[in-house]
Amino acid sequence: MSGGASAYYVSPAGDDGWSGGLPEPNAARTDGPFATVARAQAAMRAERRDRVLLRGGTYRLEAPLVFGPEDGGAPAVYAAYPGETPVLDGGRRLEGWRETSLEGGRRAWVCDVPEAADGRWAFRQLWTNGERRRRPRLPKSGLYRMAGVPGMSFDDELFEGTDTFEFAPGHIDAEWRNLRDVEVVVPHFWTDEHMPIAAVDAAARTVRSSRRSIFVLKDDYVPRCADYYVENVFEALTEPGEWYLDRPAGKVYYVPHPEETLDGFEAIAPVAHQLLVLAGDPDAGRLVEGLTFEGLAFRHTEASLPPGGGERFGRPGIDFAAAPQAAIHVPGVVSLTGARDCVFLRCEIAHVGWYGLEIGDGCAGIRVVGCALRDLGAGGVKVGGSDASGPVARRCGGHTLTDNALSGGGRVFHSATGILLAHAFDNEVSHNLIEDFFYTGISTGWVWGYGENVSKNNRIEYNRIRDLGQGLLSDMGGVYVLGVQPGTVVRGNVISDIEKKNYGGWGVYHDEGSAHVLVEDNICYRTSSQGFHQHYGRENTVRNNIFAFCGEGQAALTRGETAHTSFTLLRNIFVSDGQPMYAVRKDRPKSFLSDLNMFWDVSGRTVVAASFRYADARFLVDDETDLAAWQAATGNDLASVVADPRFADAAAGDFRLLPDSPALRLGFRPIDAERAGPRGGRRDG
């Protein structure tokens, strides 16, 4: 990058009284760079230059930088000075740590936070020496189960939430310190409820929360009460890496790891919730345009649960404990409204409490390229504007999300997704790495059923998606599709290692009303349910994919509909180890077409189709059918074969076809798995 008069400079060693025209202070220290980005922003408004270059170091923010339409127009770049990393940091370092001991002689450190005692500062996250630390919780691993829910029937509708439940003896103690700071977290269905304790009746063993659950407090569709854990329990502060803020006392306690010493110890607590806001006015046509942010790091923000939610369900004024799905109510640390043709290039968003980046109402042409998003309280990138009934000016589309690495998500809001395209269209989501989340990898669409949908023409291509679910939630997919989406393509993705709680750990998941979607050239393996699953939908095409070693069959249809073809399976390779190839409902129509597929079971027993059902979260099959019987019963797969596809090493996840593979004679096109994930050149510049 060139400097000179074309740039302003910002440095932690700068001064907002200087000109900002020099990259470092002059010898007399009478001129040099600005000290803050806000001062450089004001200078850009007064006298536009090509770019603002930020020197390496930390820039503390207690409120987000806000860019409006007056900051855009002519292209402007806010970028890292070459070879350096500027950090926009929403945290504050805690000082004055000293040794103390807890009950029973447990070793701990403590520091004073007087702003907490007088109500000026409270936080629910802490990082020490660059690592996220956990508030003390019970049980230490696994989950408790509610003993009962007053007035609940297991036949209640999904949205019959409550604020009260019963607990088993020993699970909750009315005498815990700062009881109203304890939070009950309920991971069930496909969401997580966050229910701060308001009161405990020890005699009745009931808990009442200050927030109402959005879902009935049961465990998915299994006839038992919901599981939960309790967090921020001072009496549970026992394990290294745990910490506790005693707000009334104004003290923070930390249990150090054996290798940690007070010398050089760094603890960061968040102050800001957001770090950067692009605030246009799409209704008035006043947009934030042409801004580029390059090489910047955004770190350390708070994770408070947003208030409200009741208005979505006709109950204004009620604070719900969760969103119905994907933690969609959680905002972004970097948030865009009414922004157009803005770019985030090689940026980092890390150690944050909410979604990393939100591209919202009225945004168009946003590019997010080569960025790293990690250690996220919620998800990675959330995209969406108005729905089909909303203002056209608030529609959201035409974005490019490529070559990004997203990891370690859902650390607070477990049901958040890696990338969420809600009401969004004409987007490219390609060559990303998405790993280590508790729910879905990429989600597209936000209309349940066949209603009008602005989501269309979304290309989800060549992403590497892995290590999702981890047994905490249900009803998820590596790629989750919802509603009618003509032109949407799911292509070339490699998806693996998805672990459900009770049901629904799928590779590619077509949920309610998914229609007119093309799924091709994907590799889905080691998922706890099927590689491909469709709840219900119409006229989807699934071709030239590999589905292998999935725990409950390789492909499934839950609800067939006789009025149309649900989907067509063509030239796919299905590899099993004792599971059926197709799992279908015994009592529902088999309304799909299939042919020219290859089936192979490494156990030596090939079941092409079987009826399935769930009993207490157990997947059960009956009516197992071989290829000949399946052909005779359905007329499907007349040109399909049972044969070893001859992979290089399928057990090790190497699905390259050997030159003599019989799949080639069926017209199967080899899939290059190496194309999936970030391209080094794009991420490295």
Side-chain angles (χ1 to χ4, degrees), residues 571-634:
R571 290 192 177 91
N572 301 285
I573 299 176
F574 299 94
V575 179
S576 181
D577 186 7
Q579 302 85 24
M581 306 301 171
Y582 303 150
V584 295
R585 290 281 193 175
K586 181 178 182 180
D587 56 343
R588 297 178 183 177
K590 302 174 180 64
S591 60
F592 65 90
L593 303 175
S594 54
D595 210 353
L596 292 167
N597 298 297
M598 176 167 287
F599 308 111
W600 184 246
D601 192 321
V602 297
S603 72
R605 175 178 172 270
T606 301
V607 176
V608 170
S611 297
F612 77 93
R613 54 191 169 87
Y614 283 99
D616 291 336
R618 292 180 298 122
F619 178 80
L620 304 175
V621 299
D622 49 31
D623 296 336
E624 295 180 340
T625 304
D626 63 16
L627 179 58
W630 171 255
Q631 291 168 330
T634 65

Side-chain angles (χ1 to χ4, degrees), residues 229-561:
Y229 64 90
V230 286
E231 186 179 62
N232 204 37
V233 179
F234 178 78
E235 288 76 5
L237 183 63
T238 59
E239 295 188 354
E242 293 180 334
W243 69 279
Y244 180 83
L245 170 62
D246 189 336
R247 288 193 305 114
K251 296 181 183 297
V252 176
Y253 295 88
Y254 176 69
V255 179
H257 287 272
E259 68 276 11
E260 288 182 309
T261 64
L262 285 171
D263 184 29
F265 178 68
E266 181 185 66
I268 304 292
V271 177
H273 283 84
Q274 295 179 302
L275 298 175
L276 177 65
V277 173
L278 273 55
D281 184 350
D283 298 318
R286 299 184 67 250
L287 306 179
V288 182
E289 300 185 71
L291 297 180
T292 294
F293 301 89
E294 181 176 357
L296 309 181
F298 302 87
R299 297 179 187 164
H300 300 127
T301 62
E302 182 56 313
S304 299
L305 183 67
E311 64 280 355
R312 292 193 300 266
F313 304 98
R315 297 177 180 178
I318 293 180
D319 286 339
F320 275 112
Q325 191 164 317
I328 195 171
H329 65 317
V330 177
V333 169
V334 176
S335 178
L336 284 63
T337 301
R340 182 165 65 191
D341 298 331
C342 295
V343 179
F344 292 84
L345 179 63
R346 293 189 298 276
C347 290
E348 176 198 72
I349 301 176
H351 311 318
V352 297
W354 287 348
Y355 266 90
L357 176 64
E358 178 178 11
I359 303 171
D361 283 8
C363 289
I366 307 302
R367 298 178 62 237
V368 182
V369 180
C371 296
L373 294 86
R374 58 186 178 85
D375 186 26
L376 308 163
V381 182
K382 182 174 70 166
V383 182
S386 62
D387 62 14
S389 64
V392 173
R394 290 187 169 269
R395 299 274 172 90
C396 181
H399 310 302
T400 301
L401 313 177
T402 65
D403 301 280
N404 304 292
L406 298 86
S407 62
R411 272 20 194 186
V412 179
F413 304 102
H414 307 313
S415 59
T417 65
I419 296 175
L420 171 61
L421 307 177
H423 301 292
F425 55 90
D426 295 343
N427 301 293
E428 177 188 353
V429 180
S430 66
H431 294 284
N432 301 290
L433 170 64
I434 300 173
E435 61 182 348
D436 190 14
F437 285 74
F438 298 108
Y439 187 56
T440 287
I442 299 173
S443 179
T444 175
W446 205 252
V447 173
W448 282 255
Y450 298 123
E452 189 176 358
N453 192 353
V454 300
S455 297
K456 62 181 179 180
N457 298 328
N458 291 316
R459 291 190 292 124
I460 301 170
E461 300 180 318
Y462 307 110
N463 300 285
R464 183 65 176 99
I465 304 169
R466 63 191 177 202
D467 192 19
L468 304 181
Q470 302 175 38
L472 187 64
L473 296 171
S474 298
D475 202 78
M476 73 196 70
V479 176
Y480 174 100
V481 181
L482 186 64
V484 179
Q485 297 196 44
T488 289
V489 177
V490 180
R491 177 187 292 125
N493 304 285
V494 178
I495 302 169
S496 69
D497 303 292
I498 301 176
E499 182 62 37
K500 62 183 170 63
K501 182 185 182 183
N502 291 328
Y503 78 96
W506 297 297
V508 176
Y509 174 21
H510 284 185
D511 202 1
E512 300 184 31
S514 295
H516 310 301
V517 177
L518 172 62
V519 178
E520 68 176 358
D521 299 341
N522 302 284
I523 301 174
C524 300
Y525 65 103
R526 289 201 306 259
T527 68
S528 57
S529 295
Q530 295 88 28
F532 171 77
H533 169 261
Q534 182 162 302
H535 181 175
Y536 71 87
R538 59 185 297 174
E539 287 118 25
N540 297 301
T541 300
V542 183
R543 69 188 184 201
N544 211 85
N545 303 280
I546 297 170
F547 301 110
F549 305 126
C550 301
E552 297 175 348
Q554 310 313 308
L557 174 63
T558 294
R559 194 174 100 190
E561 296 172 314

Side-chain angles (χ1 to χ4, degrees), residues 167-234:
F167 59 90
H171 287 181
I172 292 176
D173 189 339
E175 300 303 316
W176 280 339
R177 181 184 296 194
N178 304 325
L179 183 64
R180 292 173 66 89
D181 285 351
V182 177
E183 185 173 301
V184 176
V185 181
V186 187
H188 65 151
F189 295 97
W190 45 88
T191 192
D192 50 305
E193 318 268 9
H194 293 256
M195 305 179 68
I197 290 179
V200 173
D201 185 328
R205 293 206 306 272
T206 60
V207 171
R208 181 173 58 82
S209 173
S210 59
R211 285 180 176 259
R212 185 181 183 89
S213 72
I214 195 167
F215 287 165
V216 61
L217 289 178
K218 63 180 182 180
D219 186 16
D220 297 351
Y221 295 108
V222 182
R224 62 190 181 214
C225 294
D227 296 334
Y228 70 98
Y229 64 90
V230 286
E231 186 179 62
N232 204 37
V233 179
F234 178 78

Side-chain angles (χ1 to χ4, degrees), residues 151-169:
M152 183 186 78
S153 164
F154 290 116
D155 296 324
D156 282 349
E157 294 295 322
L158 181 63
F159 287 98
E160 293 295 328
T162 184
D163 61 4
T164 303
F165 69 89
E166 300 164 3
F167 59 90

Side-chain angles (χ1 to χ4, degrees), residues 36-46 52 65-68 71 78:
T36 66
V37 180
R39 177 64 184 89
Q41 179 188 19
M44 287 285 279
R45 290 175 177 176
V52 173
L65 295 166
V66 179
F67 287 75
D71 295 300
Y78 288 75

